[in-house]
Amino acid sequence: MSATPVEIALDLARAGFPVFPCKKDKTPYTLHGFKDAALDPATVTAFWQAQPSALIGIPTGQASGLYVVDLDTDKATGEALGEATLAALGLSHLLTGPGANTPSGGRHLYFRADGLAAGLGITAKKIGPGIDTRGEGGYVIAPGSIAPA
């Protein structure tokens, strides 16, 4: 039996990752978006009581300590464009670190938002084709989220 969204959200909050509910299109349900992310079990439970099938958002940057590299696929061809760009940059070894596959066929690579990644913001295709980043001021949909039908 798989865990429910609220169970996953509570597990993430207990692990120190603030969470907030998102719609199927990945936009936040909360008024202030990722700024409303919470660790408090009662708040997290209330979020998912109001929206039981919500996707689970995690703010990136200082709020969670996460910096995420988002590797996209080409929507027309299905090619792993972000991974190809990493390879062209000589960074394929990053694929062996912590990460999660995304529903669209891409991949999120997780890093600590400290050291070289401290204070880095969000980018879209700035590093190269098919690579976006999420740091300070951004968020990602957590692994285990299942888009409502």
Side-chain angles (χ1 to χ4, degrees):
M1 184 173 152
S2 36
T4 64
V6 69
E7 290 169 335
I8 296 168
L10 286 166
D11 284 346
L12 287 164
R14 280 191 287 273
F17 300 106
V19 295
F20 62 100
C22 291
K23 301 172 188 174
K24 184 178 182 178
D25 67 0
K26 302 179 189 175
T27 60
Y29 274 112
T30 60
L31 184 61
H32 303 290
F34 67 85
K35 293 179 182 176
D36 289 327
L39 291 169
D40 173 61
T43 303
V44 172
T45 300
F47 282 160
W48 272 269
Q49 283 176 336
Q51 301 296 335
S53 61
L55 300 175
I56 304 160
I58 300 175
T60 51
Q62 186 177 9
S64 65
L66 294 175
Y67 183 76
V68 179
V69 176
D70 180 6
L71 304 175
D72 293 327
T73 57
D74 183 305
K75 288 179 180 34
T77 66
E79 175 192 0
L81 191 55
E83 289 186 27
T85 300
L86 269 189
L89 294 170
L91 298 172
S92 292
H93 63 281
L94 296 178
L95 294 169
T96 62
N101 294 327
T102 65
S104 63
R107 185 153 177 80
H108 285 171
L109 305 177
Y110 292 88
F111 300 91
R112 291 176 59 161
D114 62 4
L116 293 175
L120 292 179
I122 57 175
T123 66
K125 297 169 187 55
K126 188 173 184 178
I127 295 172
I131 299 180
D132 303 328
T133 63
R134 300 290 179 264
E136 206 60 47
Y139 66 93
V140 295
I141 302 300
S145 288
I146 299 175

